[in-house]
Amino acid sequence: MLKIVFDAKTNPVPLFGEDGEHEDDGEIITDDKNRNRGLEFWRSLTYALLAAASQIIDVPRSELNGLFEPRQDRRANIIIYDDVPGGAGYSHRIAECFDEVLKMALKIVASCTCETSCYDCLQTYSNQLFHSQLNRRLVADFLTPIVEQVSPDANLQNFAPNANQVTLSLMADKLPTFCRRAAPNTLIYLPQLTDEYGLNKGSTMSWLNLLTDAVYSLQHHNRPVELIVNQLPLSNAVENVELDKRNHLKVWQKRLQQWIDQGLLKLYQSSTMDFLTLCFNSDQNNRIAFSLWESSDDKSLVWFQTRSKEGVTKVFNRLENLRSQARVVESSELEDPNTTVVFLNPSERESLTILELRKKLGIAVALSENIVSKVVYSDRYLKILGAEILIDLLKSSNFNSQSQIEILTGEDDKINNSVILQQNLTTKFSQLLANTNNLKVDVKPSHKRYEIPHSRILEIYCEDGKEYKIIFDIGMNFLIKEDEMYRVKLATYVVIERKV
């Protein structure tokens, strides 16, 4: 048999919880919540080590078994033994290469794509009674720092002392919490403000939302966020960029300008181009630093993180040095007189008339002060309810007999008939024009819907030559109509561009 003892320095989950625990005639009694989490951890760790050991010494998994025994310090020891008559010496072989077993165990639990456990990682036929208690994520969190100590990584050591790897998906879950709890001595370096890597479980990371949380968290401490960038989000300075990205840059440009003017942000531009690095101090006096790294072998991405005082200090000093060599960005550099961005937040109390809504959205001038020659609205997901709200917004426009309206959208998933949707939208928008021959409604079938740009754009062309482009982040879906009044139900933004 092989006894495996994890000492207190490895910080294993207690088998028995701390709360509500007492001893009665030698029996340990504890609350179910802590007890169940401890059981999940030790069962999962036991089966992870068994799965790894069978692969490392190349024996059938059925010929190995194991259990865990409670210790006085509320932790447990794991026992691995040969599950064959008379024994086969497997436990000795496992002990001799236990470092490799640890690394394989981490690989098994960290690389699996299941939610908690499956037959590709921890589950077997023989442990089916415990399938509901197996959780590979608990094991991955525990083994990661241990494996990094057993098998040091040169890049990790270069990043910071006491560092370990964290998967992209795990960091995507943790980052919002770090940003919401940001406290003074938080320093962030983002080479660019758009996510080119798909860091949010394959989707783009919303740095704008995350940074917004950090800004308002630090506002409670009367301190600004300090942000270092390599590339400023200047939409006018970028050529040959797709429309959606250009619109996103405009939003960044205006938001950063507002924060600087409000004293909520100190923005620096550095000539150094490196992977993004963030050093957070939380409102719970915990510090953490992490950075994105790319493997030189397969170009895969992984986060490095450190929580130790020594490690965080090293990263923070590195960022401070980067900041000292960077230049301060003034809000005037982000000024764009022909673009306005309106940020909207949901409110249960604020109900708006249609006139108040147009004014709040910043589109009253474009809709009412000029003779409109043409209106074009493109929205691949336009629904009837959204169309009705858009019609209400356009009703005050100065249309004449020559005015034209074009609507471009995609087939509704529920109706699943482009002809019916086209007829319904034509009926709705006809009320805006005296001459319905100047109305064109184009509905793409579902398989061609993605030919329409993702941005929801309202273009207004006036007879005096003025042009307005109004970009709705999520179309008309952010509004709800109640008894001829309108209310913002979702956080969003509207971009108004004016071309004279």
Side-chain angles (χ1 to χ4, degrees):
M1 296 187 297
L2 171 64
K3 177 186 283 190
I4 304 166
V5 181
F6 291 98
D7 64 24
K9 293 181 181 179
T10 63
N11 196 29
V13 176
L15 176 58
F16 300 109
E18 304 286 345
D19 300 329
E21 184 181 81
H22 64 276
E23 197 169 312
D24 184 10
D25 295 331
E27 182 180 1
I28 296 178
I29 301 175
T30 185
D31 65 289
D32 288 339
K33 181 179 179 180
N34 284 333
R35 183 173 185 273
N36 288 341
R37 187 170 183 272
L39 287 173
E40 283 185 15
F41 170 76
W42 287 102
R43 287 198 199 282
S44 302
L45 180 58
T46 299
Y47 289 120
L49 293 174
L50 287 168
S54 68
Q55 292 190 37
I56 293 299
I57 67 172
D58 193 21
V59 300
R61 170 65 180 81
S62 58
E63 295 185 5
L64 291 176
N65 214 331
L67 52 85
F68 53 90
E69 58 175 4
R71 298 196 315 233
Q72 290 296 322
D73 63 356
R74 299 187 179 91
R75 272 68 178 182
N77 296 327
I78 293 176
I79 308 295
I80 291 179
Y81 56 90
D82 306 353
D83 202 12
V84 294
Y90 295 155
S91 56
H92 292 282
R93 294 172 57 190
I94 295 170
E96 291 171 354
C97 57
F98 192 66
D99 288 357
E100 296 301 316
V101 172
L102 284 174
K103 288 190 284 186
M104 178 57 71
L106 177 58
K107 181 178 180 181
I108 289 171
V109 295
S111 62
C112 195
T113 57
C114 67
E115 185 63 28
T116 53
S117 69
C118 67
Y119 279 94
D120 287 332
C121 55
L122 301 181
Q123 294 181 12
T124 65
Y125 176 79
S126 61
N127 68 17
Q128 57 185 306
L129 289 176
F130 309 119
H131 284 182
S132 62
Q133 296 181 15
L134 301 181
N135 190 327
R136 66 179 182 86
R137 299 179 188 274
L138 294 176
V139 180
D141 289 345
F142 172 68
L143 288 181
T144 297
I146 297 176
V147 170
E148 295 300 344
Q149 295 295 321
V150 170
S151 181
D153 182 290
N155 287 327
L156 270 176
Q157 293 178 319
N158 182 59
F159 166 64
N162 307 304
N164 62 276
Q165 293 187 14
V166 181
T167 62
L168 298 185
S169 60
L170 185 60
M171 187 56 69
D173 292 335
K174 289 184 174 182
L175 260 175
T177 302
F178 295 139
C179 292
R180 287 194 298 268
R181 295 179 176 176
N185 292 324
T186 289
L187 192 53
I188 299 172
Y189 168 70
L190 298 176
Q192 54 190 20
L193 298 172
T194 55
D195 177 9
E196 303 294 330
Y197 302 108
L199 299 177
N200 185 20
K201 303 174 183 178
S203 301
T204 54
M205 186 75 77
S206 181
W207 289 115
L208 181 60
N209 292 340
L210 293 171
L211 195 60
T212 299
D213 288 339
V215 164
Y216 292 122
S217 177
L218 279 165
Q219 186 180 22
H220 295 307
H221 300 275
N222 296 316
R223 294 286 294 275
V225 165
E226 295 195 84
L227 173 65
I228 309 166
V229 298
N230 175 261
Q231 299 177 15
L232 291 175
L234 301 176
S235 57
N236 294 332
V238 181
E239 298 180 359
N240 301 320
V241 173
E242 61 184 28
L243 180 62
D244 290 338
K245 184 174 181 179
R246 185 181 294 273
N247 293 338
H248 191 61
L249 290 174
K250 288 180 179 293
V251 175
W252 264 113
Q253 189 171 336
K254 282 295 180 180
R255 181 55 107 183
L256 294 179
Q257 182 188 8
Q258 289 178 354
W259 285 337
I260 294 173
D261 288 337
Q262 295 167 2
L264 301 177
L265 175 73
K266 286 186 177 179
L267 183 63
Y268 305 86
Q269 186 177 23
S270 170
S271 59
T272 300
M273 183 65 174
D274 203 349
F275 278 113
L276 56 93
T277 304
L278 307 95
C279 188
F280 279 100
N281 189 26
S282 81
D283 56 11
Q284 297 180 338
N285 296 319
N286 295 321
R287 299 185 72 194
I288 183 171
F290 38 88
S291 180
L292 189 69
W293 285 73
E294 183 179 67
S295 169
S296 58
D297 298 328
D298 57 7
K299 301 301 180 182
S300 61
L301 297 169
V302 67
W303 288 96
F304 287 176
Q305 78 166 13
T306 179
R307 293 176 179 268
S308 72
K309 181 178 180 179
E310 181 185 5
V312 174
T313 299
K314 179 178 179 179
V315 177
F316 190 79
N317 290 341
R318 186 185 304 142
L319 288 176
E320 280 192 313
N321 182 60
L322 186 65
R323 181 184 60 187
S324 68
Q325 299 177 32
R327 71 176 190 88
V328 177
V329 179
E330 304 293 343
S331 66
S332 58
E333 298 180 51
L334 303 170
E335 180 65 38
D336 182 357
N338 293 319
T339 300
T340 301
V341 181
V342 180
F343 296 95
L344 301 161
N345 292 301
S347 173
E348 293 291 337
R349 300 179 180 178
E350 185 180 35
S351 293
L352 305 168
T353 65
I354 189 63
L355 294 177
E356 292 170 334
L357 178 62
R358 292 189 191 106
K359 186 175 181 180
K360 188 177 185 70
L361 296 180
I363 61 177
V365 173
L367 292 172
S368 59
E369 294 188 0
N370 305 284
I371 299 297
V372 177
S373 59
K374 186 176 182 179
V375 168
V376 180
Y377 183 66
S378 174
D379 181 347
R380 65 168 70 160
Y381 299 109
L382 181 64
K383 304 291 192 299
I384 294 299
L385 289 177
E388 291 175 347
I389 293 175
L390 178 59
I391 289 167
D392 288 346
L393 286 172
L394 294 173
K395 274 182 180 178
S396 68
S397 300
N398 293 323
F399 291 119
N400 60 24
S401 59
Q402 303 300 316
S403 300
Q404 303 175 42
I405 295 178
E406 293 184 10
I407 306 297
L408 178 61
T409 187
E411 189 174 62
D412 192 308
D413 292 330
K414 293 182 179 179
I415 298 177
N416 201 29
N417 189 315
S418 58
V419 175
I420 293 176
L421 181 58
Q422 184 181 38
Q423 292 173 347
N424 291 339
L425 291 176
T426 299
T427 300
K428 294 288 184 182
F429 282 96
S430 293
Q431 59 186 290
L432 293 174
L433 296 175
N435 184 356
T436 56
N437 291 327
N438 291 338
L439 172 64
K440 179 183 178 182
V441 178
D442 185 6
V443 180
K444 299 286 186 183
S446 57
H447 66 280
K448 291 186 176 183
R449 182 167 57 192
Y450 293 95
E451 296 177 0
I452 305 170
H454 183 269
S455 296
R456 284 79 160 176
I457 301 177
L458 175 65
E459 298 172 79
I460 301 174
Y461 301 89
C462 303
E463 284 192 349
D464 62 0
K466 293 180 180 177
E467 299 177 11
Y468 298 88
K469 181 184 292 184
I470 303 165
I471 302 146
F472 297 91
D473 177 38
I474 52 177
M476 299 293 115
N477 296 331
F478 70 98
L479 290 167
I480 185 170
K481 184 178 181 181
E482 300 171 327
D483 299 326
E484 302 306 316
M485 301 294 285
Y486 300 84
R487 181 167 53 83
V488 176
K489 66 176 182 178
L490 297 172
T492 186
Y493 60 82
V494 178
V495 181
I496 304 100
E497 297 180 44
R498 182 182 63 177
K499 181 179 179 182
V500 181

